[in-house]
Structures are given as structure tokens and as C-alpha cells.
Amino acid sequence: MDLSTYTLPELRRLQAKVEAEIRRRSDVTRRNLLKRMQKMAADEGLSLDELLVGSAPASAETKPAAKRGQRAGAKATKAAKPAPVIKYRNPTNPDQGWSGRGRKPQWALDWIAQGKPIEELAA
């Protein structure tokens, strides 16, 4: 196929047709694969959901707790970290706090620049 003979509008129409055909074939392939997987699971006396979730008793015992209930290839989500405990408070604005980790806030730097110990800001 020699694309150099096509005009730009013709190439764009061709591109749209190719993209639509790729989507259609991808959907058909996905549906056919899902049907085959469901049949294979049913032949073994399982549902596809049981197989993917790993809710069968034998597989639940062998999987680590963090991986139970995840589909194959699914990424593990990180557990939410608790908010750091505030160790120091801004004396002029008690709503502002600092955990003592990371970069010091400007109000803490100003406090230290005045020659005052950071321990006086302890919450």
C-alpha cells in the first residue's frame, strides 16, 4: 500500500477507519477470550469470578493477605498513611504545625533566627 499517493484528508479518513477497526477487533477478541475463560472455569466447576478473586478456600490460605481478592496483574494499593503527629506549633498562628520531619517551615526558621530554642514551640 503506497500511502504517498493519498491526500491529507484521505489519510485522516483512513486513519479513522483503521482506529475504528482496531477498537472493534479488540472488543471482539476480548469478548471471545472471556467466553473461553468462562467455559474453562465452568469445566472445572468454578466460576470465572471465583477464579479471578481467589475466593476458593485453598487458594485463600496460600495467598498473602495483601494479595487476596486481587485479580492477576492488579497493582496493590498502598495503605493510607496516618497524618504525622504535630510536634511544634506556630505561636502566632496555632493552626500551623510542624511534625519535625522534612523542611522547616518559615515560622520555625524565623523563631530559630531570633535565637530562641525550637523546644519552646513544642505542642
Side-chain angles (χ1 to χ4, degrees), residues 55-74:
S55 62
S59 65
E61 292 172 5
T62 59
K63 288 185 177 185
K67 296 292 181 183
R68 281 187 214 135
Q70 288 183 353
R71 288 182 284 129

Side-chain angles (χ1 to χ4, degrees), residues 2 10 16 19 30 44 53-54 56 71 78 84 99 105 117:
D2 184 19
E10 290 172 331
E19 288 172 352
R30 187 176 296 116
E44 296 297 324
V53 172
R71 288 182 284 129
K78 291 184 179 179
S99 67

